[in-house]
Amino acid sequence: MLPGKPPPDFRVLIHGVNFALNKRCMALRSARIARMLTEEEEGEERQRQGGVAHELADAPADPAAFEVVARFCHGYLPELSPENVVPVICVASFLEMTEEHSPENLLQRALSFFSSHVLPHWNETLRCLRGGAAVLPHAGRLGLTDDILHSVADKVLAEPLLLRNPVEACDDQKVKRRLFVVDWFAEDLTDLGLDLFVMAIAAVADAGAPPTEVARCLLRYARKRARWNSHRRVVETVEKLLPREKEALQIKPLFQMLQSAIFLRAREECRRGLEERIGSLLAEAAVEDLFIPCHGYARETRHDVGCVERVVAQFCNAAAAGGGSPELGREMFAGLLRMLAWLLGAAGRGGDGVYRAVDAYFCAHGELTESEREEICRAALDCRRLSPAVCEQAAQNERMPLRVVAQVLYVGQMHIREAICGALKDSEGEPARVGRPPPSPARTRKKKMMKKEKKEKKMRSARWGPAATAGGLQKGRGDRGRRRRR
């Protein structure tokens, strides 16, 4: 029940909350309630029981906003704020509290407050957007959502630093100077919920905000929200909104987001999108950035080797196509090769990935000399770990140094010899040596006897000492015989 006069004579139910109101006061301000009361047939018995209970289940607001509207209808000043002005406008529009029905009505007052006290200011605009989340569909039909988003976009275009952290947006001197300024912004766009943030950042990007600031804000939002709780949806949504221009991205936050995507088991297209962006910026990465940990109980290695291999391959493919980063120096690339080779070796995989990375790098950097190519190959390319198919391809590759081609040919011959040995072993049931005649039976028996005698000699020596050997025993018998003759 609302305090003060006149006394209530009917009830309204708003989302489970019962309001005791006065018919005359409500009908004087609301055309919808006046029409509802006029059309309804009231019985004497129900009137004596204290009024009719009307449920407004489709009212676009919570009980707190409806209480502001009801108090205004009963003669109180409206308590408007950036947080409740949008719900109040929605309720006033739903109840048809227009100027045609009653002069100086609530709908016009709330709209004036929205235009003069909310939209001109950054903090109030974000608070208003956050406060109207519950009535977003109705606010969109009234055009309030578009007004808020246009206000946010216009302010970001005028001051792109609004997309950054409020404290990180300026240096220490500016922070000290602006801490005492009332109008200095404190609201952060990344404090919004996911749906509101997506709407706001999309409006900002469409308005032409700098892609670098948009990408930085997106990555900061993903880092903050993924740390609070396991929000896989946040990472997947932010990845879709990230710009494709590599000039707008930073390599460190992308690696952090990729690790979050792997940990949260994000969708395959989300991880591949992040790997593609990282591959285009690989020249800016450090070797330790690619030590991406594995997650899950079934992991075979500590690091995600497949992810690293895809990132390096993405860079090499882009470089070979002319869209990569040509400023990746030989030392940096050699370090990446060593790291990739180490990860592949730890995972028990061959070196085909290293060869493909080297070949793509050579294809993109045709100006390298023979000695420079050899230096890169010596860094991590182990020809003994190449598969037979890759060995055959490398032997015919004109971009490979001659020394590497010679090593590959030798390894290829070893693969052929092992294949022949395996075929002979399978056909005869015993190992065979290529290029040598099989040993004779007499020679085989002699070797077995020598091994047996050697084993017995070691056993006697371990049990009785040096005297237990054949020579030691013979020497001992001779000494005892000489002592008897004396």
Side-chain angles (χ1 to χ4, degrees):
M1 175 179 175
L2 293 172
K5 296 180 180 182
D9 53 6
F10 87 115
R11 300 185 185 91
V12 174
L13 189 64
I14 301 293
H15 300 297
V17 179
N18 196 0
F19 288 89
L21 307 172
N22 182 266
K23 291 181 182 179
R24 182 176 177 275
C25 294
M26 296 299 297
L28 184 64
R29 291 293 189 178
S30 172
R32 186 186 187 98
I33 291 181
R35 186 169 59 253
M36 180 181 62
L37 294 176
T38 301
E39 296 174 354
E40 184 172 4
E41 297 179 0
E42 300 177 344
E44 295 181 358
E45 183 66 22
R46 299 178 69 182
Q47 288 180 352
R48 287 195 296 267
Q49 292 178 357
V52 181
H54 302 273
E55 183 177 3
L56 300 178
D58 53 347
D62 55 2
F66 186 82
E67 182 177 357
V68 175
V69 174
R71 289 176 63 89
F72 172 79
C73 293
H74 285 72
Y76 293 90
L77 291 175
E79 299 177 357
L80 298 176
S81 65
E83 290 79 6
N84 70 0
V85 64
V86 171
V88 168
I89 292 175
C90 292
V91 176
S93 174
F94 175 77
L95 297 178
E96 301 176 16
M97 303 176 66
T98 61
E99 296 297 312
E100 291 79 5
H101 182 72
S102 176
E104 298 182 0
N105 214 339
L106 181 59
L107 181 58
Q108 185 60 40
R109 291 192 181 191
L111 288 174
S112 299
F113 180 87
F114 176 74
S115 301
S116 60
H117 292 80
V118 174
L119 295 182
H121 308 287
W122 171 260
N123 290 344
E124 284 71 14
T125 302
L126 290 188
R127 292 170 188 165
C128 179
L129 180 60
R130 191 184 301 113
V135 294
L136 205 58
H138 194 85
R141 288 191 293 269
L142 296 177
L144 302 177
T145 305
D146 292 339
D147 293 340
I148 295 174
L149 295 178
H150 290 160
S151 175
V152 172
D154 292 341
K155 291 175 176 56
V156 171
L157 290 178
E159 182 55 82
L161 293 180
L162 290 171
L163 293 178
R164 298 190 184 182
N165 189 300
V167 178
E168 296 176 355
C170 50
D171 53 25
D172 295 339
Q173 295 181 355
K174 291 183 180 179
V175 170
K176 294 177 182 178
R177 191 166 57 247
R178 293 187 177 182
L179 281 176
F180 303 97
V181 180
V182 178
D183 293 335
W184 175 239
F185 70 90
E187 290 290 336
D188 191 357
L189 202 65
T190 59
D191 292 335
L192 297 173
L194 180 60
D195 295 334
L196 295 179
F197 175 78
V198 169
M199 295 171 57
I201 202 67
V204 167
D206 293 341
T212 303
E213 299 298 336
V214 174
R216 179 178 296 182
C217 184
L218 284 167
L219 294 171
R220 187 163 59 89
Y221 184 84
R223 184 169 62 250
K224 178 188 294 187
R225 292 288 171 167
R227 185 174 64 247
W228 287 350
N229 45 25
S230 298
H231 267 177
R232 185 179 69 176
R233 179 168 169 256
V234 172
V235 176
E236 293 175 350
T237 303
V238 169
E239 187 275 329
K240 294 179 181 178
L241 295 173
L242 280 175
R244 291 286 178 177
E245 298 85 3
K246 65 180 183 179
E247 295 80 9
L249 301 173
Q250 293 178 327
I251 191 67
K252 295 288 185 181
L254 282 177
F255 271 114
Q256 296 174 358
M257 189 173 173
L258 178 59
Q259 293 186 19
S260 299
I262 296 174
F263 176 76
L264 298 174
R265 293 179 174 84
R267 296 178 181 177
E268 188 74 13
E269 54 268 23
C270 174
R271 299 197 297 269
R272 293 296 179 267
L274 292 172
E275 290 172 358
E276 290 177 4
R277 292 178 175 88
I278 292 175
S280 65
L281 295 171
L282 198 57
E284 303 176 10
V287 175
E288 57 269 15
D289 292 334
L290 291 174
F291 285 90
I292 301 174
C294 280
H295 297 282
Y297 296 104
R299 62 174 183 255
E300 299 178 356
T301 60
R302 294 177 56 188
H303 302 92
D304 196 332
V305 181
C307 178
V308 176
E309 192 173 9
R310 288 190 298 270
V311 167
V312 176
Q314 177 65 32
F315 166 80
C316 294
N317 294 335
S325 180
E327 61 271 9
L328 183 63
R330 295 194 309 274
E331 296 182 359
M332 176 65 182
F333 184 71
L336 292 175
L337 284 180
R338 284 191 290 267
M339 187 274 302
L340 179 60
W342 182 84
L343 289 176
L344 291 174
R349 301 171 60 176
D352 294 353
V354 178
Y355 167 77
R356 285 191 291 267
V358 171
D359 185 39
Y361 187 81
F362 288 169
C363 182
H365 298 76
E367 72 281 359
L368 296 175
T369 63
E370 183 78 8
S371 60
E372 292 173 343
R373 294 171 188 262
E374 289 184 4
E375 180 182 357
I376 293 176
C377 293
R378 282 197 302 268
L381 183 58
D382 189 355
C383 298
R384 295 171 298 180
R385 297 179 57 195
L386 299 179
S387 63
V390 172
C391 283
E392 183 179 358
Q393 178 184 356
Q396 303 174 3
N397 193 343
E398 298 178 355
R399 291 183 291 270
M400 289 293 133
L402 294 178
R403 185 188 298 268
V404 174
V405 173
Q407 294 176 358
V408 168
L409 291 174
Y410 174 77
V411 172
Q413 293 179 356
M414 297 298 296
H415 287 320
I416 295 175
R417 176 176 295 181
E418 291 176 0
I420 295 175
C421 290
L424 293 176
K425 182 177 180 181
D426 294 338
S427 61
E428 299 179 1
E430 60 182 7
R433 296 184 179 182
V434 179
R436 295 182 183 180
S440 61
R443 187 176 180 181
T444 302
R445 287 195 299 270
K446 184 176 180 181
K447 285 186 176 181
K448 289 182 179 179
M449 292 179 62
M450 292 177 63
K451 289 182 180 179
K452 185 176 181 182
E453 291 177 359
K454 188 175 181 180
K455 185 176 180 181
E456 292 177 353
K457 183 178 180 180
K458 288 183 179 180
M459 292 176 62
R460 288 195 300 267
S461 176
R463 184 172 181 180
W464 302 105
T469 60
L473 291 175
Q474 185 67 29
K475 182 180 179 180
R477 293 192 190 100
D479 292 343
R480 286 194 296 272
R482 284 192 294 271
R483 284 196 297 269
R484 290 193 189 99
R485 285 194 297 268
R486 289 176 184 174

